[in-house]
Amino acid sequence: MKLFLAGLLAENNSYSPIPTGLGAFETEGIRRGPASGVDPGGYLSAIETVHRVVSPRGWEVVEGLFAAAVPLGPIRQPVYEQLRDELLDNLRAALPVQAVMLMLHGAMTAEDCLDCEGDLLERARSIVGPEVPIGVELDLHGHVTRSMVQHATLMVAYKAYPHTDIDERAAEVARLTIDTAERRIRPVTAVWDCRMAGSWPTTREPLKSFVGELQALEGRNGVLSVSHAHGFAFGDVPEAGARLWVVTDGDEALATRLAKELGLRLWTLRHALHQPPLGMEAAMRRVAELPPLPGAGPIVVADMADNPGGGARGDSSFALQAVLSFGIPNVALGGLWDPGAVQLCFEAGLGSTLALRVAGKSGPTSGSPVDLRVTVRALAENHEQTAFGAKSPLGASAWVSTAEGIDLVLISRCQQVIGTDLFTGLGIDLRGKHAVVVKSMQHFHAAFAPLARDVLYADSPGLLTADIAALPFHHRDPQFWPRVADPWSGTAP
C-alpha cells in the first residue's frame, strides 16, 4: 500500500505590491524528496510525523514536491504552474497509489487563479480517480472553497493560533486518510459559511474554549473531525471568510446539522471575538506610563500591521517612531527587515558607532525612514530563530543600540518574529527589558508570553491594517461581519 505525500504552501496577500516569484520558494528551500537533503522546516516540518504514523501500518510513503513561500502578493502565474505541474508529475510517477496526502495552506492565489488549492486538488483528483482518498492539511487562515471540498476526501485545519499543532493535525490527516483507504471509515463533509472575517487568537477566550468544544466532539458518535478556518482577510477572493466544517463517518445529515449549529454558535461569539488592537500611539503611551518592574519581564508589543507572516515587509517605522516620540528607554525591537542597513553594519564592524538610516524603505505602508546614531553590538552571518519546531534562517543580521536605550535587531531575510532567539541569539537579555516590540501578529505569543509582564496588540497604517472592513474588494462578497451588521439580510441563516 502506497501513500503519496506532497506539499505546496503560500499565503498570498492581494494588497501586497510585491509578487511571489520562484525565488520566494527557493529561499525557503524546495524539497524534492528525502535525497535532496533539504529540510523544509516550518509548516512542512510534519513530514516526519506522517512517516511515523503511516509506516507502522505497513504503508510505504512516496514523497513528491514540498515547497513553501514567505507571504507576499499573488504568485506569478508561470511559477505557480511550474510548481503545481511538478507536484502533479510526481504523483503520476508514483502511480498506482492507494492514498494521497497534501499539505496546503488554503490562501494560495496566483495572477490568473484565485483558488490555487481548488485547482490543484481538481487536477490531482483527475489523476488518481474517484476512489483514491485525498486527505488535506490546511492552515486555519486558509480559504475553504467548493472546489476544495468537492475534490478532497477530507480536510483538517490547524486548530491553534499561534500554530502549535501542525504536527498533531498532520498525524490526524494521515490516520483518517489511511483509515479511508482501508475502508474503515467513509468521510463526508459539510461546510457552514460563518459570514465573518477576522483573525482570532486561540490563546484568548472565548475562542480557546470554543476550540476545546470542537475537539471534544471528535472521535465520538460518528464525528471524525471538526475544523474552523478563520480565512485570510487580505485575500480578495470570491469564497473568502470564516468557515466551519464537520467530517463524519458516512452521516451527511449529522455533518450538515452540526456544521450549522457550530457555525451559528461561533456567530453568537462574534462581539467577544472582536477585540480591536490599540493604535500604535496608544500602545506606546501605555508602555511609557507603566513604571519599570525589575524581574517582572518585559511588556511585549505586537506590531500587527507590519507582520511578514501576512505579506508585510517587516520594515515599517511607525513603532520605532512612537518609541522615540515617547522617549521610552530599555526597549528591544525586531526583527526589522533592512538588508542595506545590515550590510553597512558589517562594513563598519563590531563595536563601531555610525549614522544609520533604518526602516521605511518598502513603500507608503512602511512609513518614513528613521535616522539614528547606533553602536554595533553583535553581528551574525547566518542568524536564525526557532519557528514551528525548526530553525528558520534570518540571514545576515545585526544588533545595534542607540544612546536612547533602544536595541534593534536588523535582519536580511524577511521573517515574522516567532522565537525569542531572534533577540537572545545575538546576546540581548529580554527579561531585563522594559518592553519588546515584535514584528508579528500572533505567532510570537507561544514563545514570548511566558516571559512577558503583559502583551499588547498594536495597529498602525501598515499593510495588514486591523480595519479589514475598509479594504477595497473586487472579488469577495462585501456582505460580511464586521463590515455589515447582518450579512444574512434577505436570506435565512
Side-chain angles (χ1 to χ4, degrees), residues 264-275:
L264 291 176
R265 163 104 168 97
L266 186 69
W267 170 256
T268 66
L269 300 175
R270 65 193 181 282
H271 293 293
L273 289 174
H274 188 59
Q275 301 178 30

Side-chain angles (χ1 to χ4, degrees), residues 192-200 207 228-233 240-243 262-271 273-274 468 476 479-484 487-488:
W192 180 258
D193 181 355
C194 303
R195 304 196 185 186
M196 297 163 58
S199 184
W200 309 290
L207 196 57
H228 165 222
H230 305 185
F232 183 48
R243 301 286 194 277
L262 295 171
L264 291 176
R265 163 104 168 97
L266 186 69
W267 170 256
T268 66
L269 300 175
R270 65 193 181 282
H271 293 293
L273 289 174
H274 188 59
I468 57 177
R476 74 165 296 168
Q479 298 298 309
F480 66 87
W481 188 89
R483 189 176 187 272
V484 296
W488 278 288

Side-chain angles (χ1 to χ4, degrees), residues 29-43:
I30 298 177
R31 177 180 169 109
R32 293 180 168 92
S36 67
V38 175
D39 179 5
Y43 287 95

Side-chain angles (χ1 to χ4, degrees), residues 51-238:
H51 280 271
R52 288 194 296 271
V53 170
V54 170
S55 296
R57 296 180 61 167
W59 281 69
E60 175 190 1
V61 178
V62 178
E63 285 189 26
L65 174 77
F66 283 94
V70 170
L72 290 169
I75 306 170
R76 298 297 307 273
Q77 190 66 26
V79 172
Y80 165 63
E81 292 179 2
Q82 174 187 335
L83 295 172
R84 176 200 68 192
D85 293 348
E86 181 178 348
L87 188 156
L88 294 172
D89 286 344
N90 295 158
L91 175 57
R92 291 187 187 93
L95 294 176
V97 299
Q98 286 70 49
V100 174
M101 178 174 168
L102 298 176
M103 297 178 185
L104 306 176
H105 186 283
M108 180 166 55
T109 62
E111 291 170 323
D112 299 323
C113 182
L114 297 179
D115 181 12
C116 291
E117 283 83 2
D119 173 60
L120 176 61
L121 285 167
E122 180 177 6
R123 294 170 186 271
R125 176 60 70 196
S126 70
I127 293 171
V128 300
E131 301 302 321
V132 173
I134 300 178
V136 179
E137 182 183 30
L138 292 172
D139 191 302
L140 63 74
H141 292 117
H143 312 299
V144 178
T145 69
R146 287 183 290 272
S147 181
M148 292 166 64
V149 175
Q150 177 183 351
H151 299 294
T153 305
L154 61 97
M155 300 188 300
V156 174
Y158 313 151
K159 286 186 170 62
Y161 180 42
H163 303 328
T164 55
D165 64 335
I166 296 176
D167 286 2
E168 187 178 353
R169 299 286 77 75
E172 179 183 345
V173 175
R175 285 193 296 268
L176 292 175
T177 303
I178 296 305
D179 283 347
T180 305
E182 293 178 348
R183 302 186 184 281
R184 300 174 187 272
I185 57 174
R186 185 172 63 86
V188 295
T189 300
V191 181
W192 180 258
D193 181 355
C194 303
R195 304 196 185 186
M196 297 163 58
S199 184
W200 309 290
T202 58
T203 53
R204 299 195 304 231
E205 296 294 355
L207 196 57
K208 183 177 181 179
S209 294
F210 181 74
V211 171
E213 292 175 20
L214 302 186
Q215 291 181 292
L217 293 169
E218 295 176 326
R220 302 171 55 194
N221 304 317
V223 177
L224 300 175
S225 177
V226 185
S227 292
H228 165 222
H230 305 185
F232 183 48
F234 302 93
D236 182 15
V237 301

Side-chain angles (χ1 to χ4, degrees), residues 280 303 305-307 312-321 333 335-337 358-368 370 439 460-463:
M280 186 61 71
D303 187 358
D306 196 31
N307 169 34
R313 298 313 292 154
D315 79 330
S316 84
S317 60
F318 301 109
L320 177 57
Q321 289 174 336
L333 187 152
L336 192 60
W337 180 67
V358 299
K361 298 169 184 174
S362 292
T365 56
S366 292
S368 302
V370 179
K439 299 286 186 178
S460 70
L463 185 67

